[in-house]
Amino acid sequence: MSVFTTTVYTTDQATPGQRRVMLAAVDEDGRLPAVANQRVLNSIPESWARTDAERGGRFLTAEGRAALAPLGRYLLLARANPETGHLSGSTGHHDMLALVRDGLAVLQDSEGRPVPTADRWERGNSLRITERGRRLVGMPLTAPEFAERFPVGSPALWKREGEPARPVRVLGWPLADGTVYVMPQDARLSYADSKDRPVPAAQLHPAPQAPTPTVTDRSDDRRKTMTDGTPELPLDDELVALRGLAAAALEPMTPRANTWEQVKALEERATAGYELAERFTEFDRRATADRWAPREWRRGRDLSAEEVTALIERWPDLAALGSTFVRNLAAAGFAPFQMANLVKQVQGRRGLPEIKAGDVVEAMLAGGGEPKTIRLKVDRTPWAGGPDSTVLSDGKAVTAVVTASVRVVEDDGTTTARLVTDES
């Protein structure tokens, strides 16, 4: 079995022909395709693809895989969320182009459809690892048994011989080299020790279950849920937390600080920026699904009883809705003129007589100007054309008329022409 590692690095650059052959080998469990151009096969050094006499053929080595994805890109792929395929962290533009070019990653929209790399910054688009990318870094294509015991994001204990157990959060599935990426959770660690890292999967153990809280353990049981998990923050509270992270990412460095202090400050700002990006992505997803939140981003307004009364006095048509309905429409983002148009449309349609195909209808033309009356035989049931208008059809043309003026006249069997008369 091939051994994968993220520590092998090569400064040699593969030619386009070598890259195509070696990428094809990734899709075939590391075996170089025998049907490839012989000259290209001969140019691939033995350190990149070692000959295996027992199995027959040549197979990619760890150094060969490093030639396909230098250390930075390799780590991006190895840190991908195995459940969603999402590449975490910030991917440089040139790295993104190289990963997409080699078929190791794909840019997708929120519906999972591939999109051009030029649309990278469009809302909802994200870079995700492909099956070839998973094979390159040794990531399982389907969930292993490990994922049942340690789902992505679950807590665990990292136990090493001679050292105390360290709480961590599982970030992925075990790679082919037996390691899995985790994030230490001990707040007392230094910044360098608190970064995510690959650890042997065999050293991970289930974290002890937190005791279930009871009513007697709580200072205010009315506002807290009885659950072992941490509930999601309300979107309004999450917005406050995001603003705090943004402020931390922009925290100015202390003047005249030495080099070590400057580096530490930059690392802290980078950590805050990374957490801000992750939390804002989830915040954006929740806020998009919940059109009512966060409260201060709503288009609507929460009106008081006095404001509703003043609004109805200014727009008398709104009295037909009632104060409760006006308050609900305002909270949903309706402007006063939209509410008034809604009332007019309902009132206008309420007075429309029943009309069927073949009826002769008389009504006043809509659109302003001199009032004119039209009489015609309709060939179908009329339909609404606006808040105060109805559309009539006689099979030759459609005409908008004032809804309140529509009436059915007696059909004498001879009226077939469109008759228009002026109103004095």
Side-chain angles (χ1 to χ4, degrees):
M1 181 178 179
S2 300
V3 176
F4 302 90
T5 176
T6 59
T7 59
V8 174
Y9 182 75
T10 177
T11 58
D12 296 329
Q13 186 173 5
T15 65
Q18 292 172 335
R19 179 175 294 276
R20 284 193 297 271
V21 172
M22 295 166 67
L23 287 172
V26 173
D27 299 332
E28 300 297 331
D29 294 329
R31 183 193 296 270
L32 295 185
V35 295
N37 184 287
Q38 193 62 40
R39 182 178 58 83
V40 175
L41 289 174
N42 294 338
S43 68
I44 298 177
E46 191 72 13
S47 60
W48 286 359
R50 185 170 294 109
T51 303
D52 191 325
E54 294 182 4
R55 291 186 289 175
R58 300 179 65 189
F59 293 82
L60 287 179
T61 64
E63 187 174 340
R65 296 175 183 273
L68 292 175
L71 187 59
R73 297 174 198 162
Y74 200 109
L75 294 179
L76 282 172
L77 295 173
R79 287 187 172 99
N81 186 316
E83 295 181 350
T84 64
H86 179 72
L87 293 185
S88 60
S90 177
T91 306
H93 182 69
H94 294 291
D95 285 336
M96 179 201 67
L97 294 179
L99 291 173
V100 173
R101 175 201 64 195
D102 293 339
L104 302 174
V106 62
L107 188 65
Q108 295 179 339
D109 60 15
S110 57
E111 302 295 330
R113 296 184 294 259
V115 295
T117 54
D119 298 338
R120 178 187 182 184
W121 301 114
E122 292 292 329
R123 183 174 182 178
N125 293 350
S126 60
L127 200 62
R128 300 178 187 275
I129 190 171
T130 62
E131 182 175 325
R132 174 182 286 180
R134 289 174 182 261
R135 292 181 183 276
L136 179 65
V137 298
M139 182 183 295
L141 302 183
T142 58
E145 183 182 352
F146 176 91
E148 297 182 5
R149 295 182 292 116
F150 301 101
V152 175
S154 64
L157 290 179
W158 178 24
K159 295 182 179 179
R160 293 173 292 176
E161 187 176 355
E163 296 189 20
R166 178 182 297 182
V168 296
R169 179 165 55 92
V170 178
L171 301 181
W173 297 340
L175 303 178
D177 61 357
T179 63
V180 59
Y181 273 88
V182 299
M183 176 71 75
Q185 299 295 290
D186 193 340
R188 297 169 297 179
L189 296 174
S190 65
Y191 173 73
D193 291 335
S194 64
K195 296 291 290 181
D196 63 320
R197 64 193 59 213
V199 302
Q203 296 180 357
L204 294 182
H205 300 270
Q209 292 290 334
T212 303
T214 61
V215 174
T216 56
D217 296 330
R218 296 184 176 276
S219 58
D220 186 355
D221 57 277
R222 293 172 299 174
R223 293 183 295 174
K224 296 182 181 180
T225 57
M226 302 291 288
T227 176
D228 292 338
T230 303
E232 289 183 330
L233 284 176
L235 287 172
D236 293 287
D237 296 339
E238 181 69 6
L239 181 60
V240 175
L242 289 176
R243 286 174 173 159
L245 287 173
L250 297 175
E251 183 72 22
M253 288 184 288
T254 305
R256 294 184 298 277
N258 58 41
T259 303
W260 182 87
E261 292 173 334
Q262 292 179 357
V263 170
K264 186 172 181 60
L266 288 173
E267 289 178 342
E268 292 173 349
R269 292 170 64 176
T271 301
Y274 180 71
E275 184 179 355
L276 174 65
E278 281 194 327
R279 292 182 65 170
F280 182 80
T281 300
E282 178 62 16
F283 172 84
D284 180 59
R285 182 193 65 77
R286 292 174 56 199
T288 301
D290 185 0
R291 300 302 177 89
W292 288 89
R295 181 180 299 274
E296 62 183 273
W297 285 8
R298 297 180 192 170
R299 292 192 309 163
R301 297 175 297 157
D302 293 329
L303 300 180
S304 63
E306 294 77 11
E307 290 174 322
V308 171
T309 302
L311 193 63
I312 293 177
E313 291 178 356
R314 184 178 176 186
W315 299 80
D317 291 335
L318 304 187
L321 297 175
S323 58
T324 301
F325 198 17
V326 169
R327 183 180 292 109
N328 291 339
L329 290 177
F334 276 72
F337 76 91
Q338 292 174 314
M339 301 184 203
N341 287 342
L342 180 63
V343 173
K344 292 178 181 177
Q345 184 173 2
V346 172
Q347 291 176 341
R349 295 298 297 173
R350 186 182 300 162
L352 187 68
E354 182 179 354
I355 301 173
K356 60 183 182 300
D359 288 344
V360 176
V361 178
E362 185 177 83
M364 188 171 65
L365 290 173
E370 282 190 46
K372 294 179 182 291
T373 300
I374 186 172
R375 179 183 298 178
L376 52 83
K377 179 182 288 187
V378 298
D379 67 336
R380 68 193 68 179
T381 303
W383 62 92
D388 303 310
S389 65
T390 297
V391 180
L392 305 177
S393 170
D394 62 356
K396 300 178 181 178
V398 294
T399 306
V401 298
V402 178
T403 301
S405 68
V406 175
R407 67 188 183 93
V408 179
V409 299
E410 185 177 353
D411 185 8
D412 58 5
T414 61
T415 304
T416 57
R418 299 164 62 89
L419 303 177
V420 179
T421 60
D422 292 340
E423 299 285 343
S424 57

